[in-house]
């Protein structure tokens, strides 16, 4: 049996999280970095009315 690396998808809904999104992402990334799996993080913008979308776009550019 072949041991394939485990890929974990994290789906995180967000709504008006402009003020905390960058620090949340930084803390989440630090927490999963030490784990022995690969992770994909999907942020789902649920119609935010603040600058959440712009923050998401900046995160996407900085951290593929």
């Amino acid at each position: 049996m072949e041991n394939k690396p485990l890929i974990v998808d994290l789906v995180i809904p967000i709504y008006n999280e402009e003020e905390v999104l960058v620090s949340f992402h930084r803390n989440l990334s630090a927490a999963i970095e030490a784990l022995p799996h690969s992770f994909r993080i999907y942020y789902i913008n649920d119609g935010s009315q603040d600058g959440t979308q712009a923050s998401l776009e900046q995160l996407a550019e900085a951290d593929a």
Side-chain angles (χ1 to χ4, degrees):
M1 185 156 97
E2 188 177 325
N3 285 336
K4 290 185 178 182
L6 183 62
I7 299 174
V8 179
D9 291 336
L10 300 174
V11 179
I12 303 168
I14 56 175
Y15 179 75
N16 290 342
E17 304 295 345
E18 175 185 20
E19 292 183 22
V20 298
L21 182 59
V22 173
S23 63
F24 173 80
H25 180 76
R26 182 176 46 251
N27 291 334
L28 176 61
S29 296
I32 64 177
E33 185 175 296
L35 299 174
H37 310 298
S38 295
F39 288 84
R40 292 182 291 210
I41 303 170
Y42 297 95
Y43 291 107
I44 308 301
N45 186 359
D46 198 14
S48 296
Q49 301 297 312
D50 62 358
T52 297
Q53 185 61 40
S55 294
L56 284 172
E57 291 169 9
Q58 290 172 350
L59 280 176
E61 280 187 32
D63 187 358

Short mmCIF file of all heavy atoms in Angstrom, two decimals:
data_model
loop_
_atom_site.label_atom_id
_atom_site.label_comp_id
_atom_site.label_asym_id
_atom_site.label_seq_id
_atom_site.Cartn_x
_atom_site.Cartn_y
_atom_site.Cartn_z
N MET A 1 0.84 -1.19 0.00
CA MET A 1 0.00 0.00 0.00
C MET A 1 0.89 1.24 0.00
O MET A 1 1.82 1.36 0.77
CB MET A 1 -0.91 -0.02 1.22
CG MET A 1 -1.88 1.10 1.23
SD MET A 1 -3.33 0.72 2.20
CE MET A 1 -2.94 1.48 3.73
N GLU A 2 0.57 2.16 -0.85
CA GLU A 2 1.34 3.38 -1.02
C GLU A 2 0.90 4.44 -0.01
O GLU A 2 -0.29 4.67 0.18
CB GLU A 2 1.12 3.90 -2.44
CG GLU A 2 1.98 5.04 -2.83
CD GLU A 2 1.74 5.44 -4.27
OE1 GLU A 2 1.49 4.56 -5.10
OE2 GLU A 2 1.78 6.64 -4.53
N ASN A 3 1.86 5.08 0.64
CA ASN A 3 1.53 6.17 1.58
C ASN A 3 1.57 7.50 0.85
O ASN A 3 2.64 8.04 0.59
CB ASN A 3 2.52 6.20 2.75
CG ASN A 3 2.27 5.10 3.73
OD1 ASN A 3 1.17 4.59 3.82
ND2 ASN A 3 3.29 4.72 4.47
N LYS A 4 0.42 8.01 0.52
CA LYS A 4 0.33 9.31 -0.12
C LYS A 4 0.25 10.37 0.96
O LYS A 4 -0.38 10.16 1.99
CB LYS A 4 -0.91 9.40 -1.01
CG LYS A 4 -0.84 8.54 -2.23
CD LYS A 4 -2.04 8.78 -3.11
CE LYS A 4 -1.95 7.96 -4.35
NZ LYS A 4 -3.08 8.20 -5.25
N PRO A 5 0.87 11.52 0.72
CA PRO A 5 0.75 12.60 1.71
C PRO A 5 -0.70 13.07 1.80
O PRO A 5 -1.41 13.16 0.80
CB PRO A 5 1.65 13.71 1.18
CG PRO A 5 1.98 13.34 -0.22
CD PRO A 5 1.68 11.89 -0.42
N LEU A 6 -1.13 13.32 3.00
CA LEU A 6 -2.49 13.77 3.25
C LEU A 6 -2.60 15.25 2.92
O LEU A 6 -1.77 16.05 3.34
CB LEU A 6 -2.86 13.53 4.71
CG LEU A 6 -4.28 13.87 5.13
CD1 LEU A 6 -5.29 13.03 4.38
CD2 LEU A 6 -4.42 13.67 6.63
N ILE A 7 -3.63 15.60 2.16
CA ILE A 7 -3.92 17.01 1.86
C ILE A 7 -5.21 17.36 2.57
O ILE A 7 -6.24 16.71 2.36
CB ILE A 7 -4.05 17.27 0.36
CG1 ILE A 7 -2.73 16.92 -0.35
CG2 ILE A 7 -4.44 18.72 0.10
CD1 ILE A 7 -2.81 17.01 -1.85
N VAL A 8 -5.15 18.37 3.41
CA VAL A 8 -6.30 18.79 4.19
C VAL A 8 -6.80 20.13 3.63
O VAL A 8 -6.03 21.08 3.51
CB VAL A 8 -5.94 18.95 5.68
CG1 VAL A 8 -7.14 19.43 6.48
CG2 VAL A 8 -5.39 17.64 6.23
N ASP A 9 -8.07 20.17 3.27
CA ASP A 9 -8.69 21.41 2.79
C ASP A 9 -9.44 22.06 3.95
O ASP A 9 -10.28 21.43 4.58
CB ASP A 9 -9.67 21.13 1.66
CG ASP A 9 -8.99 20.68 0.39
OD1 ASP A 9 -7.81 20.99 0.20
OD2 ASP A 9 -9.65 20.01 -0.43
N LEU A 10 -9.10 23.30 4.22
CA LEU A 10 -9.80 24.08 5.25
C LEU A 10 -10.69 25.09 4.55
O LEU A 10 -10.22 25.90 3.76
CB LEU A 10 -8.80 24.81 6.15
CG LEU A 10 -7.81 23.94 6.91
CD1 LEU A 10 -6.80 24.81 7.64
CD2 LEU A 10 -8.53 23.04 7.87
N VAL A 11 -11.98 25.04 4.83
CA VAL A 11 -12.95 25.97 4.25
C VAL A 11 -13.43 26.87 5.37
O VAL A 11 -14.03 26.40 6.34
CB VAL A 11 -14.12 25.22 3.59
CG1 VAL A 11 -15.12 26.20 3.01
CG2 VAL A 11 -13.61 24.25 2.54
N ILE A 12 -13.15 28.16 5.23
CA ILE A 12 -13.42 29.10 6.31
C ILE A 12 -14.32 30.22 5.80
O ILE A 12 -13.91 31.06 5.00
CB ILE A 12 -12.09 29.70 6.85
CG1 ILE A 12 -11.19 28.55 7.31
CG2 ILE A 12 -12.36 30.70 7.95
CD1 ILE A 12 -9.77 28.95 7.58
N PRO A 13 -15.58 30.24 6.25
CA PRO A 13 -16.47 31.34 5.86
C PRO A 13 -16.09 32.61 6.63
O PRO A 13 -15.75 32.56 7.81
CB PRO A 13 -17.85 30.84 6.27
CG PRO A 13 -17.61 29.84 7.34
CD PRO A 13 -16.25 29.26 7.10
N ILE A 14 -16.13 33.72 5.95
CA ILE A 14 -15.80 34.99 6.60
C ILE A 14 -16.84 36.04 6.20
O ILE A 14 -17.39 36.02 5.10
CB ILE A 14 -14.37 35.47 6.27
CG1 ILE A 14 -14.17 35.57 4.76
CG2 ILE A 14 -13.34 34.56 6.87
CD1 ILE A 14 -12.84 36.14 4.36
N TYR A 15 -17.09 36.95 7.13
CA TYR A 15 -18.03 38.03 6.88
C TYR A 15 -17.57 39.25 7.67
O TYR A 15 -17.49 39.21 8.90
CB TYR A 15 -19.45 37.63 7.31
CG TYR A 15 -20.46 38.72 7.09
CD1 TYR A 15 -20.93 39.00 5.81
CD2 TYR A 15 -20.94 39.47 8.15
CE1 TYR A 15 -21.85 40.00 5.60
CE2 TYR A 15 -21.85 40.48 7.95
CZ TYR A 15 -22.30 40.74 6.67
OH TYR A 15 -23.21 41.75 6.46
N ASN A 16 -17.23 40.31 6.97
CA ASN A 16 -16.77 41.56 7.59
C ASN A 16 -15.62 41.31 8.58
O ASN A 16 -15.70 41.70 9.74
CB ASN A 16 -17.92 42.29 8.27
CG ASN A 16 -18.91 42.86 7.27
OD1 ASN A 16 -18.62 43.02 6.08
ND2 ASN A 16 -20.10 43.16 7.73
N GLU A 17 -14.58 40.68 8.09
CA GLU A 17 -13.43 40.32 8.92
C GLU A 17 -12.18 41.11 8.58
O GLU A 17 -11.06 40.69 8.88
CB GLU A 17 -13.14 38.82 8.78
CG GLU A 17 -14.30 37.92 9.11
CD GLU A 17 -14.74 37.98 10.56
OE1 GLU A 17 -13.98 38.49 11.40
OE2 GLU A 17 -15.84 37.50 10.86
N GLU A 18 -12.33 42.25 7.97
CA GLU A 18 -11.19 43.06 7.53
C GLU A 18 -10.19 43.30 8.66
O GLU A 18 -8.98 43.20 8.45
CB GLU A 18 -11.68 44.40 6.98
CG GLU A 18 -10.57 45.36 6.60
CD GLU A 18 -11.10 46.71 6.17
OE1 GLU A 18 -12.24 47.06 6.49
OE2 GLU A 18 -10.34 47.41 5.48
N GLU A 19 -10.67 43.60 9.84
CA GLU A 19 -9.78 43.97 10.94
C GLU A 19 -8.96 42.81 11.48
O GLU A 19 -7.90 43.03 12.07
CB GLU A 19 -10.59 44.59 12.08
CG GLU A 19 -11.18 45.93 11.73
CD GLU A 19 -11.93 46.56 12.88
OE1 GLU A 19 -11.66 46.19 14.04
OE2 GLU A 19 -12.77 47.43 12.62
N VAL A 20 -9.44 41.58 11.31
CA VAL A 20 -8.74 40.43 11.92
C VAL A 20 -8.24 39.41 10.92
O VAL A 20 -7.53 38.47 11.30
CB VAL A 20 -9.65 39.73 12.95
CG1 VAL A 20 -10.00 40.66 14.09
CG2 VAL A 20 -10.90 39.16 12.30
N LEU A 21 -8.57 39.55 9.65
CA LEU A 21 -8.26 38.52 8.68
C LEU A 21 -6.77 38.24 8.54
O LEU A 21 -6.34 37.08 8.55
CB LEU A 21 -8.85 38.89 7.31
CG LEU A 21 -8.64 37.87 6.20
CD1 LEU A 21 -9.25 36.52 6.57
CD2 LEU A 21 -9.22 38.37 4.90
N VAL A 22 -5.97 39.26 8.43
CA VAL A 22 -4.53 39.05 8.23
C VAL A 22 -3.91 38.38 9.45
O VAL A 22 -3.14 37.42 9.31
CB VAL A 22 -3.82 40.39 7.91
CG1 VAL A 22 -2.30 40.21 7.88
CG2 VAL A 22 -4.31 40.92 6.56
N SER A 23 -4.26 38.82 10.64
CA SER A 23 -3.69 38.19 11.84
C SER A 23 -4.22 36.76 12.01
O SER A 23 -3.47 35.86 12.41
CB SER A 23 -3.96 39.02 13.10
OG SER A 23 -5.33 39.12 13.36
N PHE A 24 -5.49 36.52 11.68
CA PHE A 24 -6.03 35.16 11.73
C PHE A 24 -5.27 34.25 10.78
O PHE A 24 -4.87 33.14 11.14
CB PHE A 24 -7.52 35.16 11.38
CG PHE A 24 -8.09 33.77 11.26
CD1 PHE A 24 -8.42 33.04 12.39
CD2 PHE A 24 -8.25 33.18 10.01
CE1 PHE A 24 -8.93 31.74 12.28
CE2 PHE A 24 -8.75 31.89 9.89
CZ PHE A 24 -9.08 31.18 11.03
N HIS A 25 -5.05 34.72 9.57
CA HIS A 25 -4.34 33.91 8.57
C HIS A 25 -2.90 33.62 9.03
O HIS A 25 -2.43 32.50 8.89
CB HIS A 25 -4.33 34.60 7.21
CG HIS A 25 -3.63 33.82 6.16
ND1 HIS A 25 -4.20 32.73 5.56
CD2 HIS A 25 -2.39 33.96 5.62
CE1 HIS A 25 -3.34 32.23 4.68
NE2 HIS A 25 -2.24 32.96 4.70
N ARG A 26 -2.26 34.61 9.57
CA ARG A 26 -0.88 34.44 10.06
C ARG A 26 -0.86 33.40 11.19
O ARG A 26 -0.01 32.49 11.19
CB ARG A 26 -0.31 35.78 10.54
CG ARG A 26 1.11 35.71 11.02
CD ARG A 26 1.70 37.07 11.39
NE ARG A 26 0.82 37.89 12.21
CZ ARG A 26 0.20 39.00 11.81
NH1 ARG A 26 0.37 39.45 10.58
NH2 ARG A 26 -0.57 39.68 12.62
N ASN A 27 -1.78 33.49 12.13
CA ASN A 27 -1.83 32.53 13.24
C ASN A 27 -2.21 31.13 12.76
O ASN A 27 -1.63 30.14 13.24
CB ASN A 27 -2.81 33.01 14.31
CG ASN A 27 -2.33 34.23 15.04
OD1 ASN A 27 -1.15 34.50 15.14
ND2 ASN A 27 -3.27 35.00 15.56
N LEU A 28 -3.16 31.03 11.86
CA LEU A 28 -3.55 29.74 11.31
C LEU A 28 -2.37 29.10 10.57
O LEU A 28 -2.07 27.91 10.76
CB LEU A 28 -4.74 29.89 10.37
CG LEU A 28 -5.21 28.62 9.65
CD1 LEU A 28 -5.64 27.55 10.66
CD2 LEU A 28 -6.33 28.95 8.68
N SER A 29 -1.69 29.87 9.75
CA SER A 29 -0.54 29.36 9.01
C SER A 29 0.55 28.86 9.94
O SER A 29 1.14 27.81 9.70
CB SER A 29 0.01 30.44 8.07
OG SER A 29 -0.94 30.78 7.10
N ALA A 30 0.81 29.59 11.00
CA ALA A 30 1.82 29.17 11.97
C ALA A 30 1.41 27.88 12.66
O ALA A 30 2.25 27.00 12.91
CB ALA A 30 2.05 30.28 13.00
N ALA A 31 0.13 27.73 12.95
CA ALA A 31 -0.35 26.53 13.64
C ALA A 31 -0.25 25.29 12.76
O ALA A 31 0.12 24.21 13.24
CB ALA A 31 -1.79 26.72 14.11
N ILE A 32 -0.55 25.41 11.49
CA ILE A 32 -0.53 24.24 10.62
C ILE A 32 0.85 23.95 10.03
O ILE A 32 1.08 22.84 9.55
CB ILE A 32 -1.59 24.34 9.50
CG1 ILE A 32 -1.30 25.50 8.56
CG2 ILE A 32 -2.98 24.43 10.08
CD1 ILE A 32 -2.27 25.61 7.38
N GLU A 33 1.73 24.91 10.10
CA GLU A 33 3.08 24.74 9.52
C GLU A 33 3.82 23.56 10.13
O GLU A 33 4.55 22.85 9.43
CB GLU A 33 3.88 26.02 9.73
CG GLU A 33 5.23 26.01 9.07
CD GLU A 33 5.91 27.35 9.24
OE1 GLU A 33 5.38 28.35 8.71
OE2 GLU A 33 6.95 27.40 9.91
N ALA A 34 3.63 23.32 11.40
CA ALA A 34 4.35 22.25 12.10
C ALA A 34 3.71 20.88 11.89
O ALA A 34 4.28 19.87 12.29
CB ALA A 34 4.40 22.57 13.59
N LEU A 35 2.56 20.82 11.26
CA LEU A 35 1.86 19.55 11.07
C LEU A 35 2.40 18.81 9.85
O LEU A 35 2.86 19.44 8.89
CB LEU A 35 0.36 19.80 10.94
CG LEU A 35 -0.29 20.46 12.16
CD1 LEU A 35 -1.74 20.78 11.87
CD2 LEU A 35 -0.17 19.57 13.38
N PRO A 36 2.33 17.50 9.85
CA PRO A 36 2.96 16.71 8.78
C PRO A 36 2.08 16.53 7.54
O PRO A 36 2.24 15.56 6.82
CB PRO A 36 3.19 15.36 9.47
CG PRO A 36 2.05 15.24 10.42
CD PRO A 36 1.83 16.65 10.93
N HIS A 37 1.19 17.45 7.28
CA HIS A 37 0.30 17.33 6.13
C HIS A 37 0.40 18.58 5.27
O HIS A 37 0.92 19.61 5.69
CB HIS A 37 -1.15 17.16 6.59
CG HIS A 37 -1.34 16.09 7.61
ND1 HIS A 37 -1.06 14.76 7.37
CD2 HIS A 37 -1.77 16.14 8.89
CE1 HIS A 37 -1.30 14.06 8.45
NE2 HIS A 37 -1.73 14.87 9.40
N SER A 38 -0.14 18.50 4.08
CA SER A 38 -0.27 19.67 3.22
C SER A 38 -1.67 20.26 3.44
O SER A 38 -2.64 19.51 3.61
CB SER A 38 -0.10 19.29 1.76
OG SER A 38 1.20 18.84 1.52
N PHE A 39 -1.75 21.56 3.41
CA PHE A 39 -3.03 22.23 3.64
C PHE A 39 -3.35 23.19 2.50
O PHE A 39 -2.45 23.81 1.94
CB PHE A 39 -2.98 23.04 4.95
CG PHE A 39 -3.00 22.19 6.18
CD1 PHE A 39 -1.82 21.65 6.67
CD2 PHE A 39 -4.18 21.93 6.84
CE1 PHE A 39 -1.83 20.85 7.80
CE2 PHE A 39 -4.20 21.14 7.97
CZ PHE A 39 -3.02 20.60 8.46
N ARG A 40 -4.62 23.28 2.20
CA ARG A 40 -5.14 24.31 1.30
C ARG A 40 -6.20 25.05 2.10
O ARG A 40 -7.07 24.44 2.72
CB ARG A 40 -5.75 23.71 0.05
CG ARG A 40 -4.70 23.06 -0.86
CD ARG A 40 -5.31 22.52 -2.11
NE ARG A 40 -6.15 21.36 -1.81
CZ ARG A 40 -6.35 20.35 -2.64
NH1 ARG A 40 -5.82 20.37 -3.84
NH2 ARG A 40 -7.13 19.35 -2.30
N ILE A 41 -6.10 26.36 2.09
CA ILE A 41 -7.04 27.19 2.84
C ILE A 41 -7.94 27.91 1.84
O ILE A 41 -7.46 28.61 0.94
CB ILE A 41 -6.30 28.21 3.72
CG1 ILE A 41 -5.35 27.51 4.67
CG2 ILE A 41 -7.31 29.08 4.49
CD1 ILE A 41 -4.41 28.45 5.41
N TYR A 42 -9.23 27.73 2.01
CA TYR A 42 -10.23 28.40 1.18
C TYR A 42 -11.03 29.34 2.08
O TYR A 42 -11.71 28.90 2.99
CB TYR A 42 -11.18 27.39 0.54
CG TYR A 42 -10.51 26.43 -0.39
CD1 TYR A 42 -10.11 25.18 0.05
CD2 TYR A 42 -10.29 26.77 -1.72
CE1 TYR A 42 -9.49 24.28 -0.81
CE2 TYR A 42 -9.68 25.88 -2.59
CZ TYR A 42 -9.28 24.64 -2.12
OH TYR A 42 -8.68 23.75 -2.98
N TYR A 43 -10.92 30.63 1.82
CA TYR A 43 -11.74 31.60 2.52
C TYR A 43 -12.96 31.89 1.64
O TYR A 43 -12.83 32.21 0.47
CB TYR A 43 -10.97 32.90 2.76
CG TYR A 43 -9.86 32.76 3.76
CD1 TYR A 43 -8.53 32.77 3.37
CD2 TYR A 43 -10.14 32.65 5.12
CE1 TYR A 43 -7.51 32.66 4.29
CE2 TYR A 43 -9.12 32.53 6.06
CZ TYR A 43 -7.80 32.54 5.64
OH TYR A 43 -6.79 32.43 6.55
N ILE A 44 -14.13 31.80 2.22
CA ILE A 44 -15.37 32.07 1.51
C ILE A 44 -15.94 33.39 2.02
O ILE A 44 -16.39 33.49 3.16
CB ILE A 44 -16.41 30.93 1.72
CG1 ILE A 44 -15.80 29.57 1.41
CG2 ILE A 44 -17.67 31.21 0.92
CD1 ILE A 44 -15.29 29.40 0.00
N ASN A 45 -15.88 34.41 1.18
CA ASN A 45 -16.39 35.72 1.55
C ASN A 45 -17.91 35.70 1.40
O ASN A 45 -18.44 35.57 0.30
CB ASN A 45 -15.78 36.80 0.66
CG ASN A 45 -16.17 38.18 1.09
OD1 ASN A 45 -16.92 38.37 2.04
ND2 ASN A 45 -15.66 39.17 0.39
N ASP A 46 -18.59 35.82 2.51
CA ASP A 46 -20.04 35.70 2.54
C ASP A 46 -20.73 37.06 2.44
O ASP A 46 -21.59 37.40 3.25
CB ASP A 46 -20.46 34.96 3.82
CG ASP A 46 -21.87 34.41 3.76
OD1 ASP A 46 -22.44 34.36 2.65
OD2 ASP A 46 -22.40 34.04 4.82
N GLY A 47 -20.32 37.87 1.46
CA GLY A 47 -20.97 39.14 1.22
C GLY A 47 -20.52 40.28 2.12
O GLY A 47 -21.30 41.17 2.44
N SER A 48 -19.26 40.27 2.51
CA SER A 48 -18.74 41.32 3.39
C SER A 48 -18.96 42.70 2.81
O SER A 48 -18.87 42.91 1.59
CB SER A 48 -17.24 41.10 3.62
OG SER A 48 -17.02 39.89 4.29
N GLN A 49 -19.22 43.66 3.70
CA GLN A 49 -19.47 45.04 3.29
C GLN A 49 -18.30 45.95 3.62
O GLN A 49 -18.36 47.15 3.39
CB GLN A 49 -20.74 45.56 3.97
CG GLN A 49 -21.98 44.76 3.65
CD GLN A 49 -22.33 44.81 2.18
OE1 GLN A 49 -22.36 45.87 1.58
NE2 GLN A 49 -22.57 43.64 1.59
N ASP A 50 -17.24 45.39 4.20
CA ASP A 50 -16.06 46.20 4.54
C ASP A 50 -14.94 45.88 3.55
O ASP A 50 -15.20 45.49 2.43
CB ASP A 50 -15.64 45.94 6.00
CG ASP A 50 -15.25 44.49 6.25
OD1 ASP A 50 -15.33 43.66 5.32
OD2 ASP A 50 -14.86 44.18 7.39
N GLY A 51 -13.72 46.03 3.94
CA GLY A 51 -12.58 45.79 3.06
C GLY A 51 -12.07 44.36 3.08
O GLY A 51 -10.93 44.10 2.70
N THR A 52 -12.91 43.42 3.47
CA THR A 52 -12.51 42.02 3.54
C THR A 52 -12.03 41.50 2.18
O THR A 52 -11.01 40.81 2.10
CB THR A 52 -13.66 41.14 4.07
OG1 THR A 52 -13.97 41.54 5.41
CG2 THR A 52 -13.30 39.67 4.06
N GLN A 53 -12.74 41.82 1.13
CA GLN A 53 -12.36 41.30 -0.19
C GLN A 53 -10.97 41.79 -0.59
O GLN A 53 -10.16 41.02 -1.11
CB GLN A 53 -13.39 41.71 -1.25
CG GLN A 53 -13.12 41.10 -2.62
CD GLN A 53 -13.15 39.59 -2.61
OE1 GLN A 53 -13.98 38.97 -1.97
NE2 GLN A 53 -12.25 38.97 -3.36
N ALA A 54 -10.67 43.04 -0.34
CA ALA A 54 -9.34 43.56 -0.66
C ALA A 54 -8.27 42.86 0.17
O ALA A 54 -7.20 42.53 -0.35
CB ALA A 54 -9.30 45.07 -0.41
N SER A 55 -8.57 42.58 1.43
CA SER A 55 -7.62 41.85 2.28
C SER A 55 -7.41 40.44 1.76
O SER A 55 -6.28 39.94 1.76
CB SER A 55 -8.13 41.79 3.73
OG SER A 55 -8.15 43.07 4.30
N LEU A 56 -8.47 39.80 1.30
CA LEU A 56 -8.35 38.46 0.72
C LEU A 56 -7.47 38.47 -0.52
O LEU A 56 -6.64 37.58 -0.71
CB LEU A 56 -9.73 37.91 0.36
CG LEU A 56 -10.59 37.42 1.50
CD1 LEU A 56 -11.99 37.09 0.99
CD2 LEU A 56 -9.97 36.21 2.16
N GLU A 57 -7.64 39.46 -1.36
CA GLU A 57 -6.84 39.55 -2.58
C GLU A 57 -5.37 39.76 -2.24
O GLU A 57 -4.49 39.17 -2.90
CB GLU A 57 -7.39 40.66 -3.47
CG GLU A 57 -8.75 40.30 -4.05
CD GLU A 57 -9.47 41.44 -4.73
OE1 GLU A 57 -8.85 42.52 -4.93
OE2 GLU A 57 -10.65 41.27 -5.07
N GLN A 58 -5.08 40.57 -1.23
CA GLN A 58 -3.69 40.77 -0.81
C GLN A 58 -3.10 39.48 -0.25
O GLN A 58 -1.95 39.15 -0.53
CB GLN A 58 -3.61 41.89 0.23
CG GLN A 58 -3.89 43.25 -0.35
CD GLN A 58 -3.99 44.34 0.72
OE1 GLN A 58 -4.03 44.05 1.90
NE2 GLN A 58 -4.02 45.57 0.27
N LEU A 59 -3.87 38.75 0.55
CA LEU A 59 -3.41 37.47 1.07
C LEU A 59 -3.12 36.49 -0.06
O LEU A 59 -2.12 35.76 -0.02
CB LEU A 59 -4.45 36.85 2.01
CG LEU A 59 -4.50 37.37 3.43
CD1 LEU A 59 -5.66 36.71 4.17
CD2 LEU A 59 -3.21 37.15 4.15
N ALA A 60 -3.99 36.43 -1.05
CA ALA A 60 -3.81 35.51 -2.17
C ALA A 60 -2.52 35.82 -2.94
O ALA A 60 -1.82 34.91 -3.38
CB ALA A 60 -5.02 35.57 -3.09
N GLU A 61 -2.20 37.09 -3.09
CA GLU A 61 -0.97 37.47 -3.77
C GLU A 61 0.26 37.10 -2.96
O GLU A 61 1.26 36.65 -3.49
CB GLU A 61 -0.95 38.97 -4.05
CG GLU A 61 -1.75 39.38 -5.25
CD GLU A 61 -1.57 40.86 -5.57
OE1 GLU A 61 -0.48 41.41 -5.33
OE2 GLU A 61 -2.53 41.45 -6.08
N ALA A 62 0.17 37.28 -1.64
CA ALA A 62 1.33 37.06 -0.76
C ALA A 62 1.55 35.60 -0.40
O ALA A 62 2.67 35.19 -0.12
CB ALA A 62 1.16 37.88 0.51
N ASP A 63 0.49 34.80 -0.41
CA ASP A 63 0.57 33.42 0.07
C ASP A 63 -0.27 32.52 -0.82
O ASP A 63 -1.46 32.34 -0.57
CB ASP A 63 0.11 33.33 1.52
CG ASP A 63 0.32 31.97 2.14
OD1 ASP A 63 0.79 31.04 1.43
OD2 ASP A 63 -0.01 31.80 3.32
N ALA A 64 0.37 31.99 -1.83
CA ALA A 64 -0.36 31.13 -2.78
C ALA A 64 -0.90 29.90 -2.07
O ALA A 64 -1.83 29.29 -2.44
CB ALA A 64 0.57 30.71 -3.93
#
